[in-house]
Short mmCIF file of all heavy atoms in Angstrom, two decimals:
data_model
loop_
_atom_site.label_atom_id
_atom_site.label_comp_id
_atom_site.label_asym_id
_atom_site.label_seq_id
_atom_site.Cartn_x
_atom_site.Cartn_y
_atom_site.Cartn_z
N GLU A 227 77.62 116.01 127.51
CA GLU A 227 77.29 116.65 128.79
C GLU A 227 78.50 116.62 129.73
O GLU A 227 78.77 117.60 130.44
CB GLU A 227 76.10 115.95 129.44
CG GLU A 227 74.81 116.06 128.65
CD GLU A 227 74.39 117.50 128.41
OE1 GLU A 227 74.56 118.33 129.33
OE2 GLU A 227 73.89 117.80 127.32
N LEU A 228 79.23 115.52 129.74
CA LEU A 228 80.45 115.42 130.56
C LEU A 228 81.49 116.43 130.10
O LEU A 228 82.18 117.05 130.91
CB LEU A 228 81.03 114.01 130.47
CG LEU A 228 80.17 112.87 131.02
CD1 LEU A 228 80.79 111.52 130.68
CD2 LEU A 228 80.00 113.01 132.53
N ASN A 229 81.59 116.63 128.79
CA ASN A 229 82.57 117.57 128.26
C ASN A 229 82.21 119.01 128.59
O ASN A 229 83.08 119.82 128.90
CB ASN A 229 82.69 117.38 126.75
CG ASN A 229 83.25 116.02 126.38
OD1 ASN A 229 84.00 115.42 127.15
ND2 ASN A 229 82.87 115.51 125.22
N TYR A 230 80.92 119.35 128.51
CA TYR A 230 80.49 120.70 128.87
C TYR A 230 80.83 120.99 130.33
O TYR A 230 81.27 122.10 130.67
CB TYR A 230 78.99 120.87 128.66
CG TYR A 230 78.51 120.71 127.24
CD1 TYR A 230 77.25 120.16 126.96
CD2 TYR A 230 79.31 121.09 126.17
CE1 TYR A 230 76.81 120.00 125.66
CE2 TYR A 230 78.87 120.93 124.86
CZ TYR A 230 77.62 120.39 124.63
OH TYR A 230 77.18 120.22 123.33
N ALA A 231 80.65 120.01 131.20
CA ALA A 231 80.97 120.19 132.62
C ALA A 231 82.46 120.37 132.81
O ALA A 231 82.91 121.21 133.59
CB ALA A 231 80.45 119.00 133.41
N ALA A 232 83.26 119.58 132.07
CA ALA A 232 84.71 119.65 132.21
C ALA A 232 85.26 120.99 131.71
O ALA A 232 86.27 121.48 132.23
CB ALA A 232 85.36 118.50 131.46
N GLU A 233 84.59 121.58 130.72
CA GLU A 233 85.07 122.85 130.15
C GLU A 233 85.12 123.96 131.21
O GLU A 233 85.92 124.90 131.09
CB GLU A 233 84.15 123.27 129.00
CG GLU A 233 84.59 124.56 128.32
CD GLU A 233 83.64 125.01 127.23
OE1 GLU A 233 82.66 124.28 126.94
OE2 GLU A 233 83.86 126.10 126.68
N LYS A 234 84.31 123.86 132.24
CA LYS A 234 84.29 124.89 133.28
C LYS A 234 85.58 124.92 134.09
O LYS A 234 85.86 125.91 134.77
CB LYS A 234 83.09 124.66 134.21
CG LYS A 234 81.75 124.75 133.49
CD LYS A 234 80.59 124.39 134.41
CE LYS A 234 79.26 124.42 133.67
NZ LYS A 234 78.12 124.00 134.53
N ASN A 235 86.38 123.85 134.00
CA ASN A 235 87.64 123.78 134.72
C ASN A 235 88.70 123.23 133.77
O ASN A 235 89.09 122.07 133.85
CB ASN A 235 87.50 122.88 135.96
CG ASN A 235 88.74 122.91 136.82
OD1 ASN A 235 89.59 123.79 136.72
ND2 ASN A 235 88.88 121.91 137.68
N PRO A 236 89.21 124.06 132.85
CA PRO A 236 90.13 123.58 131.82
C PRO A 236 91.40 122.98 132.42
O PRO A 236 91.86 123.39 133.49
CB PRO A 236 90.46 124.85 131.02
CG PRO A 236 89.36 125.80 131.33
CD PRO A 236 88.94 125.50 132.73
N ILE A 237 91.96 122.01 131.72
CA ILE A 237 93.23 121.45 132.16
C ILE A 237 94.34 122.44 131.83
O ILE A 237 94.25 123.22 130.88
CB ILE A 237 93.50 120.08 131.51
CG1 ILE A 237 93.53 120.17 129.98
CG2 ILE A 237 92.46 119.06 131.97
CD1 ILE A 237 93.92 118.87 129.30
N THR A 238 95.40 122.40 132.60
CA THR A 238 96.49 123.39 132.47
C THR A 238 97.81 122.78 132.03
O THR A 238 98.77 123.50 131.81
CB THR A 238 96.70 124.13 133.79
OG1 THR A 238 97.02 123.18 134.81
CG2 THR A 238 95.44 124.90 134.19
N ILE A 239 97.90 121.47 131.90
CA ILE A 239 99.13 120.83 131.46
C ILE A 239 99.39 121.14 129.99
O ILE A 239 98.48 121.54 129.25
CB ILE A 239 99.06 119.30 131.64
CG1 ILE A 239 97.88 118.72 130.85
CG2 ILE A 239 98.98 118.93 133.12
CD1 ILE A 239 97.85 117.21 130.78
N PRO A 240 100.63 120.97 129.51
CA PRO A 240 100.90 121.15 128.08
C PRO A 240 100.11 120.14 127.23
O PRO A 240 100.09 118.95 127.53
CB PRO A 240 102.40 120.89 127.97
CG PRO A 240 102.95 121.15 129.34
CD PRO A 240 101.87 120.72 130.27
N VAL A 241 99.47 120.65 126.19
CA VAL A 241 98.68 119.81 125.28
C VAL A 241 99.16 120.06 123.86
O VAL A 241 99.26 121.22 123.42
CB VAL A 241 97.18 120.14 125.37
CG1 VAL A 241 96.39 119.33 124.33
CG2 VAL A 241 96.64 119.86 126.77
N LEU A 242 99.47 118.99 123.16
CA LEU A 242 99.77 119.07 121.74
C LEU A 242 98.55 118.57 120.98
O LEU A 242 98.17 117.40 121.10
CB LEU A 242 100.99 118.23 121.39
CG LEU A 242 101.36 118.19 119.89
CD1 LEU A 242 101.76 119.57 119.39
CD2 LEU A 242 102.48 117.17 119.63
N ALA A 243 97.92 119.47 120.22
CA ALA A 243 96.72 119.13 119.45
C ALA A 243 97.12 118.92 118.00
O ALA A 243 97.41 119.88 117.27
CB ALA A 243 95.68 120.24 119.57
N ILE A 244 97.16 117.66 117.58
CA ILE A 244 97.60 117.31 116.23
C ILE A 244 96.39 117.05 115.35
O ILE A 244 95.58 116.16 115.63
CB ILE A 244 98.51 116.07 116.24
CG1 ILE A 244 99.76 116.32 117.09
CG2 ILE A 244 98.90 115.67 114.82
CD1 ILE A 244 100.68 115.11 117.18
N GLY A 245 96.30 117.80 114.27
CA GLY A 245 95.26 117.57 113.29
C GLY A 245 95.84 117.03 112.00
O GLY A 245 96.92 117.44 111.58
N ALA A 246 95.15 116.08 111.40
CA ALA A 246 95.55 115.57 110.09
C ALA A 246 95.08 116.57 109.02
O ALA A 246 93.91 116.94 108.98
CB ALA A 246 94.94 114.20 109.84
N GLU A 247 96.00 116.97 108.17
CA GLU A 247 95.69 117.98 107.16
C GLU A 247 94.51 117.58 106.29
O GLU A 247 93.68 118.42 105.93
CB GLU A 247 96.92 118.21 106.28
CG GLU A 247 96.73 119.25 105.20
CD GLU A 247 97.94 119.42 104.31
OE1 GLU A 247 98.92 118.68 104.50
OE2 GLU A 247 97.90 120.28 103.41
N LYS A 248 94.40 116.28 105.99
CA LYS A 248 93.35 115.81 105.08
C LYS A 248 92.17 115.19 105.84
O LYS A 248 91.38 114.43 105.28
CB LYS A 248 93.93 114.79 104.11
CG LYS A 248 95.07 115.33 103.27
CD LYS A 248 94.67 116.56 102.46
CE LYS A 248 95.83 117.14 101.68
NZ LYS A 248 96.41 116.24 100.68
#
Side-chain angles (χ1 to χ4, degrees):
E227 296 302 322
L228 296 172
N229 295 332
Y230 297 147
E233 182 183 356
K234 298 174 182 177
N235 187 17
I237 59 175
T238 58
I239 58 171
V241 175
L242 177 64
I244 300 178
E247 181 182 3
K248 301 303 177 61

